[in-house]
Amino acid sequence: MTMIPRAAFVAAALAMSASAAQAGDIEAGASAFQSQCQNCHNVIDSEGEVLAGRPNVRTGPNLYGVVGRQAGTEDFRYGGSLVEAGEAGLVWDTENMVPYLLDPNTFLRDTLDNRRARSQMSFRVRDDATAENIIAFLAQFGAVEDAEEEAAADS
Ligand code: HEC
């Protein structure tokens, strides 16, 4: 797949970035994304290029650049709880996305300290390792542009 050189480049860029996702196995994450996430999500960049999943999937928001993004800010009809969490300062990173993926409702209840909070994502990942792998896979998308911007800013 065309993703491999891109992934190698991003892996190098991520290695230099302290805030980036570590731990996860990108290849395992790619196959877990395929079997568990892409029925509802895809990854499409700002030019409309489909980087993961299928083009016309809109059950869940586009996950391009999701690691590092404020929660609930894509062009998507989110549930109120997720938008509220984003407005309260929730920015997705490896640490918070793992518990979100394991149990979105409980995560939003804890984050908002409101037991009525609800997620509209009715899916759970079964274990931490799978969640970490998927996050490592997703963290590739968006980082290329960021790395290029940084390089441009430095020159
Ligand atoms: C059955 C459909 C479905 C599946 C399967 C699913 N999601 Fe979701 N996902 C959603 C919906 C719907 C939302 C919006 C949730 C809300 O508004 O509360 C969402 C939201 C999210 C968000 C928050 C995005 C944002 O912009 O804040 C992330 C991250 C996410 N999903 C990741 C995943 C990953 C990774 C997988 C695979 C392990 C997955 N989802 C599987 C439907 C799904």
Side-chain angles (χ1 to χ4, degrees):
M1 277 201 315
T2 53
M3 233 138 60
I4 285 152
R6 188 183 175 99
F9 173 75
V10 174
L14 290 179
M16 294 184 292
S17 160
S19 63
Q22 337 77 354
D25 173 337
I26 292 177
E27 262 176 59
S31 86
F33 181 86
Q34 207 168 26
S35 57
Q36 302 187 32
C37 316
Q38 74 173 22
N39 280 338
C40 297
H41 292 283
N42 53 22
V43 178
I44 301 185
D45 71 12
S46 50
E47 263 115 60
E49 193 188 340
V50 181
L51 304 174
R54 292 181 296 260
N56 295 310
V57 172
R58 300 195 215 289
T59 309
N62 177 8
L63 295 179
Y64 180 78
V66 70
V67 177
R69 183 166 100 192
Q70 181 182 326
T73 51
E74 272 298 294
D75 179 13
F76 180 80
R77 281 175 162 269
Y78 290 100
S81 300
L82 187 61
V83 171
E84 199 185 323
E87 283 168 355
L90 176 64
V91 173
W92 294 120
D93 61 24
T94 309
E95 231 160 274
N96 58 30
M97 212 190 290
V98 170
Y100 175 76
L101 293 178
L102 294 179
D103 186 348
N105 274 324
T106 300
F107 175 82
L108 288 175
R109 281 168 199 168
D110 292 348
T111 301
L112 295 170
D113 194 18
N114 175 356
R115 62 193 179 80
R116 290 204 172 104
R118 275 188 62 81
S119 172
Q120 291 194 2
M121 174 161 138
S122 54
F123 184 82
R124 293 173 174 211
V125 173
R126 234 181 265 164
D127 59 273
D128 285 39
T130 305
E132 280 166 12
N133 293 343
I134 294 170
I135 295 162
F137 171 70
L138 289 172
Q140 305 175 88
F141 306 112
V144 168
E145 284 77 356
D146 294 347
E148 279 168 1
E149 263 168 39
E150 269 171 41
D154 286 347
S155 62

